[in-house]
Amino acid sequence: SPDKPLINRAMHGIYPPGSTFKPFMALAALELNKRSPSYAINDPGYYMLPGSSHRYRDWKAGGHGRVDLHKSIVVSCDTYYYGLAVDLGIDNIFSFISHFGFGKKTGIDVEGERSGVLPSQEWKMKRFKQKWYVGDTVSIGIGQGYNSATPLQLAVATATLANNGVEMRPQLVKQIENAKTGVVTPHPPDVLSRLPIKPENLEIVRAAMIDVT
């Protein structure tokens, strides 16, 4: 970019994760028993909170019809995740999805990484001196609102999902050779965590992501 030619966007760029956030929402739904694989909604193309006339619109005018969890990922149905976010609540979203490294640095062996934001009630009060509203939660469900992440964070989170819940620290250095002695010190891969996620739930989300392509 001519205005920011030297910015390392992978580590320094902070962006709303958008629909790349949905697979982690789906996994939270399964793990916290808020959705079963067969549970389906009828998507008219928008979502409305009870007692409100405001429409949170789906990206597809007219909606996607009947949508279960598998289809919600494959077609990236906003309406499904608006409702799911409200049913989960921001506390559950924050506590579950933080396990995938959102809102904190990955620990890559390069300086200058930024942490992004995985919002919570406490974060909003500290940042804006405002309480959390249900409408805030709706937007979080599709990776918008106060959500922000680096491309590197998303790469690590998605790799963790693909790697059966094993989170690896990203690294560039494979080994270090002493210039004087020639002694080589290996820099082996570092496992950050092994998430206690049910294999069957991981497989449901992984299969849906494969069908996206």
Side-chain angles (χ1 to χ4, degrees):
S1 170
D3 61 332
K4 296 283 186 182
L6 298 179
I7 187 171
N8 182 340
R9 296 188 185 278
M11 291 171 52
H12 302 164
I14 300 290
Y15 312 99
S19 294
T20 59
F21 200 68
K22 291 173 181 173
F24 305 98
M25 289 289 296
L27 194 56
L30 293 169
E31 284 288 304
L32 301 177
N33 296 313
K34 293 295 184 179
R35 294 288 185 272
S36 67
S38 60
Y39 175 90
I41 65 165
N42 286 310
D43 171 24
Y46 58 86
Y47 173 81
M48 295 171 66
L49 286 166
S52 172
S53 60
H54 178 73
R55 293 186 175 186
Y56 296 88
R57 300 194 178 278
D58 194 284
W59 68 264
K60 182 180 180 183
H64 294 90
R66 186 180 182 278
V67 180
D68 59 13
L69 188 136
H70 182 91
K71 184 178 177 181
S72 76
I73 294 175
V74 175
V75 302
S76 192
C77 176
D78 294 333
T79 307
Y80 185 96
Y81 289 95
Y82 290 144
L84 171 59
V86 172
D87 287 352
L88 280 169
I90 189 60
D91 292 340
N92 281 330
I93 294 172
F94 175 79
S95 62
F96 182 85
I97 293 184
S98 63
H99 293 309
F100 286 88
F102 289 96
K104 53 192 172 187
K105 297 177 182 179
T106 66
I108 190 171
D109 49 351
V110 182
E111 291 186 358
E113 183 182 8
R114 296 178 69 185
S115 58
V117 174
L118 180 63
S120 65
Q121 294 195 61
E122 182 182 356
W123 171 86
K124 188 183 178 187
M125 181 58 68
K126 185 176 181 180
R127 176 72 174 78
F128 296 108
K129 301 293 187 290
Q130 295 176 358
K131 72 173 187 176
W132 190 271
Y133 296 102
V134 179
D136 297 331
T137 308
V138 176
S139 300
I140 297 300
I142 62 165
Q144 300 290 344
Y146 297 117
N147 254 331
S148 67
T150 66
L152 179 62
Q153 284 177 314
L154 282 168
V156 171
T158 305
T160 301
L161 203 157
N163 201 29
N164 293 315
V166 178
E167 182 187 11
M168 307 294 295
R169 187 190 308 278
Q171 65 185 56
L172 296 181
V173 176
K174 182 179 181 181
Q175 61 188 32
I176 300 171
E177 181 179 345
N178 188 305
K180 293 181 178 179
T181 65
V183 174
V184 174
T185 304
H187 187 50
D190 183 14
V191 176
L192 292 177
S193 64
R194 299 178 187 273
L195 304 183
I197 299 171
K198 294 177 181 176
E200 59 268 30
N201 290 339
L202 269 170
E203 186 53 39
I204 289 168
V205 175
R206 283 155 51 106
M209 292 179 72
I210 289 169
D211 282 354
V212 171
T213 62

